[in-house]
Amino acid sequence: MIRIRDLRVAYGPREVAHVPALDVGAGECVAIVGESGSGKSTTLLAALGLAEGARVSGEVTVCGVDVLRARPRALRAIRGSKAALVIQSPQAALSPTTRLGVLMRRALALHGVTGAPSQGKTQVQGEPADVRGGGPRRGIEGVMAEACEAVMLDPAILRRYPHEISGGQAQRFAIALAIALGAEVILADEPTSALDVTVQAEVVGVLRRLREERGLALLFVSHDLALVSTIADRVLVMKDGEVVESGQAAQVFTRPSHPYTRELLEALP
Amino acid sequence: MTAVEPRRRLFRVPDRFAAFGAVLLVLIVLSAVFAPWLAPYEENDVRPLESLLPPSGAHWFGTDQVGRDVLTQVLYGGRTSLVIAAAVLAASATVGVTLGVVAGYAGGWARDVIMRITDVFLAFPALLLSLALAVVLQPSVTTVILAIAVTWWPWYARLSASVAASVATRSYVDAARCLGVPASVIVARHVLPNSLTPVLVQLSLDGGGVILTAAALSYLGLGAHEPTAEWGLMVQQGQTIFTTNWWVVTFPGLAILLTAFAFNVLGEGLRGALDPRRTVR
Amino acid sequence: MTRYLARRLGQALLVVAGVVTLTFVIMRMVPGDPAVAYAGPKATPEQLAAAREQFGLDRPLYVQLWNYARDLVTGDWGTSLRTRRPVVDDLLTAFPATLELVGAALIVAILVGLPVGIVAARCKAKFPDFSVRLGSMLAVSVPVFWLALALQTLFASHLGWFPVAGEYDNTLDTTSPLTLWTDITIVDALITGNWPIFTSTLNHLVLPSLVVAAYPAGVIAQMTRAALIEESGQDHVRLERAMGFGETAILTRFALRPALNPVLSLIALVFAYSLVNGFLVEAVFNWPGLGRYAFNAISSLDTPGIAGVTLLVAVVYVLANLMVDLLQGVIDPRARAR
């Protein structure tokens, strides 16, 4: 899904992120942790070619596309439809004068998702394709409703404007967008940082379910170690733009090898 | 533990546009200041025998109906226009900022009253109010200055009121008040310096408008009159012969255009460099 | 929504009251005795006294102000000293022509300014952007009366492509008279299918409306560009890029609507400015609108006439601002919440 080698991101003369290696396979969940300013968000954005004004070098392959060298059209083709971005403060990230449903419809139209029965992309594990509601229930409406249900949102929410919904709802809508577009990997930048604790748990639950049921890959960034420990398979720890430790989550958390990692863990309540 | 006032960085790198506007404006101001030395002829040097000569080596901009060298008149006209602009801006800014700071800092009914008054003045499109005023007063340069200043001050009042209001709520101001620092000192030390930047930007943006309005008033015969050289007046005097003697009208008009352009470009550039969040008037 | 409307309406009324007061004050500043102006310079003392009494000039100022305001509301805006007709009638005759001119100019300004601003934002820092910035700067810096003279001399007098002055060919009044509906010549000609007058008016409109359109076009272009660039920096644009939308699509489908907000409020401002700019243009092209009426009033010191024009324009401005605020409430759902 995602393969990063020797990624370097620089703003002007300052190098803000350097990641020697990062892989995310289907169904895997990888987390990048660190404090603010560690370069983790930059890494995430650079992975989709969204780091504005930065010089990016290295090798980044997402869903088969060489992000750093691909033509804009190829890049736009995978954005949203194969690799979807979920941002930290979702309400600011959604166009304020566009209803949610309109946004989703436009995105679906952009990527040619019509919800015809032959487009059975969102395959639920364990269920044979022909049983999966083909025929009349499909169509754009169906795709949108399905996506909402997958993240436990009432499809009626699609008629609202972004300022009329809560943070948690906005976050889940962003995930629903990813699902509707049939994304195979979700890149999330601090997906729960702006949410209350109970809502956080909901969103994490949704993400976990999606991993299990649809084989979604997940690359996310967070400074919340406790959250990361509940869902990540592998972890990268970044400090001041450098990766100081990486490995299996269980290992990193129980037997950290780098002093900084130990510091972070000790800071946990 | 004191709340410290953060140091404001005044300048980011101004872009080329602003620099260009600044240079142009400086050139124009210099040409006005040094008009007596730059002008090839005397001001108002009437030479009936040389009237309406097209541009030539002797008269770069040609001559007008009474034989005056147009270039000379344009240069001297620049003095008039720039003096008007300076006077108007100084007057509006002084009155406006004073009232605005009082309104913003004091708050309460003072603020309401002053803001309603600015609303009323702002309800008149600028030129209209100046026009009405200029009509009731005798035509002269002073009239123009007064008429335009009266319409311009509300913007400065509004501007400084909002700055004053926001500064008044900051913690270091509260701290100063608790320590018994008199309001006048707080205003002088904190409110005024903070208002400086937006007011400066507004001043440069307004320069163009003042030049255009002053020229328009003179064109209508409500402002400068003979023997004062003024660009708008020159356009008015030459308009009936525009078809046959294009230079009498063209050059003063170009002068107005260039000066207003310089102010506007400078203002835009300053706004971008100093205060990008401010909304356009 | 209704609360928002009521609130804005209340504010507007307050402002209008202030406008009336200010106009009254200014008009009283006119040199000379108003009684003499009404009765004439050769009037006897008795006639002067009678004039004073008739026009209430012997009452205290605040009473005069109250009477003035009352008269205005009931439709008595005084009698023009020059035309000897009620000012209201004069204004109603002249206003449609000005509306026609300014309306046409604004349409041109929007049709030119918006797309140009969008292109500039799209091609930021490249040549189209630079030329748009330069062009719009020049457009807002040009003295309107000079531009009017220049265009008139070049395209009408010299090249003869367009008529020199007037609203339309008045000889057509006899050959194909116009039935009036809205009093706006070109609109009436259009709805009644009066093609000779329609084309004549259109012909006459071209030059003056282009002159009046210069300033608003420049302002609209600049504002559109700035608003779009600012909107492009918002977070939601990043998400839209992440969803795979292209730059042009983002600009036109997502950034444009919120960016239109500041542009819209600008249009009210620009409308008023253009109205008064139009006066100068009317003088040059002898357009039968408020401008010509105002200048005639000025040269004959027709105080009621001047006051009438001033009041009308100010009130129109207040209304324009009000309408724009309402429109904003419709377009941007967030504005309603404020």
Side-chain angles (χ1 to χ4, degrees):
Chain A
M1 294 271 117
I2 299 183
R3 187 189 130 94
I4 296 179
R5 292 285 177 273
D6 195 33
L7 171 71
R8 287 175 195 272
V9 183
Y11 281 103
R14 240 185 48 207
E15 187 178 272
V16 296
H18 173 217
V19 178
L22 172 59
D23 291 277
V24 184
E28 279 198 297
C29 177
V30 178
I32 308 180
V33 303
E35 294 170 332
S36 322
S38 55
K40 50 194 203 299
S41 298
T42 315
T43 309
L44 196 76
L45 290 173
L48 276 181
L50 290 172
E52 285 147 38
R55 275 178 330 182
V56 187
S57 67
E59 212 192 287
V60 179
T61 313
V62 176
C63 300
V65 172
D66 182 350
V67 169
L68 300 181
R69 281 162 209 89
R71 306 188 57 211
R73 181 161 295 196
L75 205 51
R76 290 205 298 267
I78 55 152
R79 280 182 187 159
S81 70
K82 292 250 179 61
L85 186 66
V86 173
I87 312 189
Q88 177 173 2
S89 38
Q91 276 148 318
L94 293 170
S95 172
T97 54
T98 317
R99 288 185 211 264
L100 299 182
V102 173
L103 180 62
M104 198 182 257
R105 209 180 310 255
R106 281 190 191 157
L108 290 175
L110 179 69
H111 291 286
V113 176
T114 56
S118 57
Q119 273 190 348
K121 279 217 259 186
T122 48
Q123 181 110 0
V124 175
Q125 257 185 351
E127 280 194 22
D130 43 71
V131 169
R132 206 61 200 77
R137 205 207 166 210
R138 279 295 192 135
I140 297 235
E141 298 297 324
V143 172
M144 291 184 2
E146 223 188 284
C148 287
E149 278 153 27
V151 297
M152 297 174 326
L153 273 182
D154 182 356
I157 209 177
L158 291 177
R159 280 201 297 276
R160 304 254 188 92
Y161 285 101
H163 66 270
E164 292 171 344
I165 61 176
S166 73
Q169 288 172 321
Q171 208 51 282
R172 280 178 283 159
F173 172 74
I175 302 174
L177 253 180
I179 296 174
L181 290 169
E184 294 161 2
V185 54
I186 289 186
L187 293 87
D189 186 0
E190 307 269 7
T192 55
S193 307
L195 305 175
D196 294 332
V197 176
T198 41
V199 181
Q200 275 182 17
E202 273 176 27
V203 173
V204 169
V206 163
L207 286 174
R208 198 187 286 130
R209 243 193 54 237
L210 291 174
R211 254 188 76 198
E212 288 163 10
E213 292 176 5
R214 295 164 188 252
L216 219 51
L218 193 57
L219 171 64
F220 75 100
V221 154
S222 181
H223 62 260
D224 185 349
L225 284 178
L227 160 75
V228 168
S229 63
T230 58
I231 188 173
D233 295 328
R234 281 183 290 115
V235 170
L236 256 82
V237 181
M238 284 184 78
K239 174 178 161 59
D240 295 329
E242 294 291 333
V243 177
V244 299
E245 181 160 0
S246 81
Q248 297 292 326
Q251 195 145 27
V252 172
F253 283 128
T254 51
R255 277 194 297 276
S257 50
H258 196 275
Y260 178 65
T261 319
R262 258 175 253 139
E263 260 181 61
L264 284 179
L265 287 170
E266 268 155 38
L268 280 181
Chain B
M1 180 144 106
T2 46
V4 179
E5 176 176 1
R7 274 232 109 224
R8 292 269 300 268
R9 275 197 63 208
L10 272 188
F11 265 113
R12 291 211 294 278
V13 178
D15 74 332
R16 278 171 295 165
F17 254 46
F20 175 60
V23 166
L24 189 56
L25 195 57
V26 165
L27 284 176
I28 293 174
V29 169
L30 286 178
S31 74
V33 167
F34 290 110
W37 290 272
L38 289 171
Y41 297 82
E42 297 285 315
E43 182 186 7
N44 267 316
D45 188 2
V46 173
R47 298 174 179 213
L49 294 175
E50 292 176 39
S51 68
L52 296 179
L53 294 177
S56 63
H59 297 277
W60 289 6
F61 286 179
T63 60
D64 67 10
Q65 301 95 306
V66 292
R68 288 178 294 202
D69 177 44
V70 174
L71 173 58
T72 309
Q73 294 302 99
V74 167
L75 283 172
Y76 278 98
R79 293 187 142 193
T80 319
S81 299
L82 289 173
V83 162
I84 294 178
V88 167
L89 291 175
S92 331
T94 315
V95 171
V97 170
T98 314
L99 282 175
V101 163
V102 165
Y105 189 72
W109 63 264
R111 178 175 183 281
D112 288 333
V113 164
I114 294 182
M115 283 300 113
R116 288 303 135 240
I117 296 180
T118 58
D119 275 344
V120 168
F121 272 88
L122 289 173
F124 290 89
L127 183 59
L128 190 68
L129 195 55
S130 306
L131 204 61
L133 269 171
V135 167
V136 303
L137 304 168
Q138 294 301 330
S140 76
V141 169
T142 326
T143 304
V144 169
I145 295 176
L146 254 161
I148 304 180
V150 163
T151 47
W152 239 265
W153 72 266
W155 296 104
Y156 294 96
R158 275 266 176 92
L159 197 55
S160 39
S162 70
V163 171
S166 75
V167 168
T169 57
R170 289 196 201 157
S171 49
Y172 55 82
V173 169
D174 272 343
R177 261 201 282 244
C178 288
L179 289 172
V181 179
S184 51
V185 173
I186 296 184
V187 163
R189 185 99 45 86
H190 299 293
V191 176
L192 283 180
N194 273 307
S195 327
L196 192 66
T197 319
V199 166
L200 258 174
V201 172
Q202 190 64 46
L203 279 174
S204 50
L205 280 172
D206 281 345
V210 175
I211 296 275
L212 288 173
T213 312
L217 286 177
S218 295
Y219 169 75
L220 294 171
L222 299 168
H225 52 94
E226 287 288 343
T228 319
E230 209 275 350
W231 293 332
L233 185 63
M234 290 166 76
V235 172
Q236 182 221 40
Q237 289 168 331
Q239 63 181 339
T240 41
I241 49 170
F242 198 177
T243 36
T244 42
N245 310 91
W246 57 271
W247 54 93
V248 184
V249 169
T250 308
F251 292 110
L254 279 175
I256 304 173
L257 171 57
L258 267 170
T259 313
F261 180 72
F263 269 111
N264 282 331
V265 170
L266 177 64
E268 268 300 313
L270 274 182
R271 178 160 61 93
L274 296 178
D275 213 351
R277 294 258 105 208
R278 232 177 56 72
T279 46
V280 178
R281 174 203 295 204
Chain C
M1 184 63 179
T2 30
R3 276 194 59 187
Y4 180 64
L5 172 57
R7 200 159 27 107
R8 286 296 292 113
L9 208 60
Q11 281 176 336
L13 281 173
L14 219 69
V15 172
V16 169
V19 163
V20 168
T21 314
L22 192 57
T23 313
F24 177 80
V25 167
I26 294 179
M27 286 312 115
R28 281 289 176 270
M29 287 167 65
V30 176
D33 190 347
V36 171
Y38 285 123
K42 296 217 187 72
T44 63
E46 293 84 30
Q47 286 172 322
L48 284 178
R52 259 189 215 107
E53 211 198 302
Q54 181 190 357
F55 290 106
L57 295 166
D58 48 348
R59 322 287 281 288
L61 271 178
Y62 60 86
V63 175
Q64 288 189 43
L65 175 58
W66 174 253
N67 290 339
Y68 182 61
R70 188 202 53 201
D71 288 339
L72 288 178
V73 172
T74 53
D76 176 13
W77 287 37
T79 312
S80 164
L81 298 175
R82 183 180 61 94
T83 66
R84 301 283 163 193
R85 287 171 43 187
V87 169
V88 175
D89 290 347
D90 285 344
L91 291 178
L92 284 177
T93 318
F95 189 47
T98 300
L99 258 186
E100 185 180 41
L101 177 60
V102 175
L106 279 182
I107 292 177
V108 169
I110 295 177
L111 286 178
V112 169
L114 265 182
V116 157
I118 295 177
V119 165
R122 177 73 184 85
C123 309
K124 187 178 166 202
K126 289 182 259 180
F127 180 70
D129 181 26
F130 180 75
S131 43
V132 164
R133 288 176 75 191
L134 184 65
S136 57
M137 268 306 176
L138 284 173
V140 307
S141 311
V142 69
V144 118
F145 52 93
W146 180 77
L147 184 65
L149 284 172
L151 286 191
Q152 183 187 49
T153 308
L154 184 58
F155 293 105
S157 303
H158 264 149
L159 292 173
W161 289 356
F162 297 100
V164 172
E167 190 189 4
Y168 62 96
D169 185 0
N170 288 99
T171 57
L172 292 174
D173 277 332
T174 40
T175 51
S176 59
L178 184 67
T179 25
L180 298 173
W181 284 81
T182 60
D183 275 347
I184 303 177
T185 314
I186 199 170
V187 171
D188 288 338
L190 189 61
I191 41 183
T192 55
N194 189 334
W195 301 121
I197 291 196
F198 179 75
T199 38
S200 177
T201 313
L202 200 59
N203 228 3
H204 282 78
L205 253 183
V206 172
L207 287 181
S209 59
L210 279 179
V211 174
V212 179
Y215 181 86
V219 165
I220 290 177
Q222 282 181 334
M223 196 42 165
T224 309
R225 174 187 172 275
L228 276 176
I229 289 180
E230 162 133 4
E231 196 65 27
S232 305
Q234 300 287 339
D235 285 334
H236 70 87
V237 168
R238 185 187 287 168
L239 188 65
E240 283 139 23
R241 255 185 223 124
M243 288 200 283
F245 287 101
E247 292 305 316
T248 318
I250 292 180
L251 223 49
T252 48
R253 298 174 85 183
F254 293 106
L256 193 56
R257 218 173 125 176
L260 280 182
N261 236 342
V263 176
L264 211 57
S265 51
L266 205 64
I267 290 188
L269 209 99
V270 147
F271 172 66
Y273 198 89
S274 306
L275 212 57
V276 184
N277 260 357
F279 286 13
L280 294 166
V281 175
E282 284 183 23
V284 171
F285 285 94
N286 199 26
W287 193 266
L290 285 179
R292 195 174 69 173
Y293 183 73
F295 293 137
N296 286 337
I298 288 174
S299 32
S300 54
L301 267 191
D302 177 13
T303 321
I306 301 172
V309 173
T310 311
L311 268 174
L312 180 61
V313 175
V315 168
V316 165
Y317 186 31
V318 171
L319 278 175
N321 271 320
L322 194 64
M323 276 205 292
V324 159
D325 280 344
L326 295 180
L327 250 168
Q328 270 188 326
V330 166
I331 285 191
D332 186 353
R334 293 171 295 177
R336 272 179 251 157
R338 282 194 223 119

